[in-house]
Structure formats: C-alpha cells, structure tokens
C-alpha cells in the first residue's frame, strides 16, 4: 500500500526558535520513517515581510542545515527550498481564483502581522494562506505537522481544496493537521500572552535553536514569571506554565508532573534545571549544524536534488489542475 504523505515548511525569516523546533521541526523527524515526507524552507512566505536579500539568501541554506542537524535525512525526506519549485507560485495563482477576500480577512495571522508591518501592508501578506494551501495541495499531502498558530491556515487549505474539488471535479487530497502535544504553542519568555516568534525584536523573548549554552541559561533566568513565589501549573501563572510546557516538550514528561516535583522550591531552581535541559537537547544540534555549514556545496546539492524530486511531483499536480481549469 502506498505510504501517506506529510508536508510542512518553515520560513527562513530569522534564527529558528525552540517554538519552531518543538511545534514543528522535532515532529518532522518523527514522521520520516512512516510517511513520504517533504519539508521546505518557505522563503516565498518570508518575503511577505521585508527581508534583506543577502541575509535571506544566507538563511535559505542555514535553515536547510538546521533541518539536517535536527535529524532529517535527505535519503528519507525530500528537503528543498520553496522558490526552487516554480509550481508553488503557479498553483497559488489558480487557487487565488477560488479563495474569497472575506475568508482571508478573517485570518488572525494577517491581522497580527498587519499591525506589526503597517508601513508594508502588501497583498502577499493577505494572500499568504493561499500560497500555503498551494504548498500543501501540490504534493497530495495527507498530514501537515505544524504549530497551533497555523490552525486557521490548515482550515482554509481544507476549504480551498474542497471548493476546488466541488467546482472542477476530484483533484486535491483534503489534508489533516498534526499538532504536537506539549510544544504546539510555546510562548514568548518576556510576554507569555504572545507566542514565541523568530522575528521578535526582543532577543530575551526567544531561545534560538543555535543559541550558545550560556545564552540559553541567561535567557531562561530572565524569563518573566510572577511575584506569587509559589509553584503551580495554572493559567494564572502563564510565565511559569510556559516554562513547564517547554520542560515537558523537551523531556517528554507531563508538565503538571514536573510542576509537582518542583512544588515548594524557588523559581530559580526550576530555571537552572530548565536551562540545563534545553542546553542538553540543543547542543548536539548546534554542533552538527556547525559541521554542516563548513560544507556549503553539500548543502547546495541537497537543496538541488530535493527541488528536482519535489518539482517532479508538483508538475504532475500542475498539469492536472491546468487541465481542470481549461489552461490545457
Ligand atoms: N511559538 C511557537 N510554538 C509552537 N510552534 C510554533 N511555530 C512557530 N512558532 C511557534 C511553528 O513553527 C513552524 C514554522 O513557522 P513559520 O516559520 O512558518 O512561521 P510562523 O508560524 O510565523 O513562526 P514565527 O517563529 O512566528 O516566525 P515569524 O516571526 O517570521 O512570523 C510552523 O509549523 C509554526 O506553527
């Protein structure tokens, strides 16, 4: 029986955070053995906010190196850079014609990012979910491993697929999302009401996958908690709750049980231990990443071969879609 297909992408819009890792990348590696997987560096999404071209060029390959360092294998998964496959833009255009302004206007990510980018309210920011639908639907994807912040985008992808199928006949697989349990929504260390984001300007708000151990320890120590001086796992202590969620996502333990273990102790003890847990998990990734980055031609080869394999699948979908809509 043919294996099911899993697809996901990560924008090279900054240094990847433990939110990106726990919510997405760490789950990619768990799927490799059971699914036919495609994972890409979503650089076409990244330009919906202003990027420095030289930096973006560098980040494309760095993000691919992080995928490999986190354990993904080019032998098992198709790893590629989104803009190397023109089919993403081609399908996006067709899908734009079956997507309504009203449904795009309801996307909370658009509303949030609009507020942060008032001087660059471009139409790609608005149609971002259509490109994401194209990414997913191009590969007959069954499963999309993503963080909780992508819920609305997965829903609209499903709506677009169903609408297209109804209008033009059975064409797309309607995909399901896969959310991780503890790591689905890692919050900012400085504002636990907001999700941790790689583009956050406050460096203390994020822990990046490639942060040095002393930086990680320092950032955890500076994480905002509260003045109750009492260990609980509750919504009223959102900063503390986030720290337990991060702890649990790294160790596989239930956050509530970790909180019980620390009951009666000070926040400082918890923060010290959590810093160590994160350093221990991320150090091997950082070391492998550094080795990979010393061989750029190898990384470029992985990207090139990945794009060839992805395009082979994607071009079949484009052919089918172009026939359905009357282009061919
Ligand atoms: N805080 C988070 N907790 C859990 N998962 C998260 N993801 C992002 N932030 C968290 C998941 O990481 C994957 C890649 O995200 P993305 O690069 O496509 O864009 P994003 O969701 O907009 O992530 P960022 O870090 O907030 O990037 P910027 O700052 O550039 O907008 C997705 O699966 C996402 O759910």
């Amino acid at each position: 029986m043919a294996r099911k297909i899993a697809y996901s992408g990560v924008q090279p819009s900054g240094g990847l955070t433990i939110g990106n890792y726990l919510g997405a990348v760490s789950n990619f590696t768990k799927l490799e053995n059971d699914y036919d997987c495609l994972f890409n560096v979503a650089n076409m999404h990244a330009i919906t906010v202003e990027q420095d071209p030289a930096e973006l060029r560098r980040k494309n390959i760095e993000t691919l190196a992080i995928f490999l360092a986190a354990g993904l294998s080019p032998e098992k998964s198709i790893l590629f850079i989104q803009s190397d496959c023109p089919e993403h833009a081609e399908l996006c255009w067709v899908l734009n014609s079956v997507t309504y302004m009203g449904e795009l206007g309801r996307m909370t990510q658009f509303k949030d990012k609009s507020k942060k980018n008032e001087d660059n309210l471009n139409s790609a920011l608005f149609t971002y979910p259509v490109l994401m639908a194209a990414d997913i639907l191009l590969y007959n994807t069954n499963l999309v491993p993503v963080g909780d912040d992508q819920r609305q985008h997965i829903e609209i992808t499903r709506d677009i697929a169903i609408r297209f199928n109804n209008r033009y006949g059975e064409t797309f697989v309607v995909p399901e999302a896969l959310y991780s349990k503890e790591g689905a929504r890692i919050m900012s260390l400085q504002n636990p009401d907001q999700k941790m984001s790689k583009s956050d300007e406050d460096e203390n708000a994020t822990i990046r996958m490639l942060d040095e151990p002393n930086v990680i320890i320092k950032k955890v120590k500076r994480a905002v908690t509260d003045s109750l001086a009492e260990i609980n796992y509750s919504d009223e202590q959102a900063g503390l709750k986030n720290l337990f969620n991060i702890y649990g996502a790294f160790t596989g333990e239930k956050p509530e049980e970790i909180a019980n273990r620390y009951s009666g102790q000070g926040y400082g003890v918890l923060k010290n231990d959590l810093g160590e847990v994160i350093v221990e998990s991320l150090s091997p990734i950082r070391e492998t990443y550094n080795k990979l980055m010393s061989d750029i031609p190898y990384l470029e080869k992985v990207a090139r071969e990945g794009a060839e394999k992805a395009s082979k699948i994607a071009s079949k979908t484009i052919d089918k879609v172009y026939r359905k809509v009357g282009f061919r």
Side-chain angles (χ1 to χ4, degrees):
M1 220 171 76
R3 297 209 302 179
K4 289 198 166 176
I5 296 166
Y7 168 92
S8 198
V10 178
Q11 298 180 73
S13 44
L16 267 56
T17 70
I18 55 169
N20 302 128
Y21 178 64
L22 297 171
V25 180
S26 66
N27 286 325
F28 299 173
T29 58
K30 292 179 195 149
L31 295 173
E32 266 194 333
N33 289 328
D34 298 319
Y35 287 78
D36 283 341
C37 294
L38 299 105
F39 300 115
N40 78 12
V41 176
N43 57 355
M44 293 166 66
H45 286 277
I47 61 162
T48 55
V49 301
E50 207 172 330
Q51 304 290 337
D52 174 68
E55 208 171 302
L56 185 62
R57 195 171 295 116
R58 193 165 47 77
K59 285 251 163 345
N60 289 335
I61 216 74
E62 286 176 358
T63 307
L64 190 74
I66 292 188
F67 283 0
L68 296 172
L72 289 173
S73 149
E75 275 82 47
K76 290 184 184 165
S77 297
I78 299 179
L79 307 175
F80 64 109
I81 294 169
Q82 186 184 24
S83 60
D84 287 341
C85 291
E87 293 85 0
H88 289 254
E90 290 177 315
L91 184 57
C92 178
W93 184 251
V94 174
L95 297 184
N96 264 316
S97 70
V98 293
T99 309
Y100 299 118
M101 305 281 281
E103 55 190 347
L104 290 174
R106 285 194 290 276
M107 296 291 116
T108 51
Q109 179 176 292
F110 170 68
K111 290 181 196 161
D112 291 348
K113 290 205 170 172
S114 302
K115 270 187 222 142
K116 286 188 202 153
N117 299 282
E118 274 174 345
D119 51 346
N120 182 24
L121 260 189
N122 62 77
S123 52
L125 194 59
F126 189 64
T127 55
Y128 181 114
V130 189
L131 178 59
M132 183 160 156
D135 299 341
I136 295 167
L137 300 180
L138 264 180
Y139 301 103
N140 309 311
T141 304
N142 303 99
L143 198 68
V144 192
V146 279
D148 183 64
D149 61 315
Q150 295 298 326
R151 262 176 211 277
Q152 266 192 322
H153 291 166
I154 300 293
E155 274 314 306
I156 198 173
T157 297
R158 290 169 55 84
D159 291 345
I160 291 170
I162 292 167
R163 193 174 303 142
F164 190 98
N165 288 349
N166 285 340
R167 195 172 296 177
Y168 295 105
E170 208 55 31
T171 309
F172 296 121
V173 173
V174 181
E176 305 276 344
L178 175 73
Y179 305 106
S180 71
K181 277 201 199 84
E182 316 300 354
R185 185 172 280 261
I186 301 299
M187 309 309 279
S188 154
L189 296 186
Q190 290 302 313
N191 181 357
D193 295 332
Q194 265 178 24
K195 77 161 191 141
M196 186 181 283
S197 267
K198 64 173 110 62
S199 59
D200 199 319
E201 279 165 13
D202 181 354
E203 257 314 304
N204 285 320
T206 62
I207 292 177
R208 301 194 187 267
M209 288 178 70
L210 301 176
D211 276 346
E212 293 289 337
N214 62 329
V215 175
I216 294 175
I217 305 276
K218 215 185 302 164
K219 285 181 177 176
V220 176
K221 280 198 177 133
R222 285 182 187 157
V224 167
T225 46
D226 54 68
S227 53
L228 293 177
E230 193 182 291
I231 297 257
N232 295 296
Y233 181 78
S234 79
D235 290 341
E236 282 69 52
Q237 291 173 273
L240 209 52
K241 185 176 181 182
N242 188 37
L243 297 185
F244 286 122
N245 284 341
I246 295 171
Y247 200 133
F250 273 109
T251 62
E253 295 167 279
K254 285 217 168 69
E256 293 88 340
E257 285 171 12
I258 305 170
N260 282 340
R261 207 166 67 228
Y262 280 93
S263 172
Q265 304 197 54
Y267 295 172
V269 181
L270 165 70
K271 286 180 167 182
N272 275 337
D273 292 355
L274 175 59
E276 294 297 334
V277 162
I278 301 173
V279 166
E280 212 171 288
S281 303
L282 294 185
S283 287
I285 296 178
R286 200 185 60 256
E287 283 156 20
T288 311
Y289 170 86
N290 288 337
K291 278 189 210 135
L292 284 162
M293 285 303 288
S294 66
D295 191 355
I296 299 291
Y298 168 71
L299 295 169
E300 287 172 346
K301 180 170 163 276
V302 170
R304 199 172 48 247
E305 290 179 356
E308 276 166 19
K309 288 184 208 161
S311 252
K312 212 166 159 190
I313 304 168
S315 60
K316 284 195 189 130
T317 306
I318 289 294
D319 187 51
K320 190 160 144 191
V321 168
Y322 277 16
R323 284 174 197 279
K324 296 266 182 181
V325 300
F327 287 174
R328 286 184 181 153

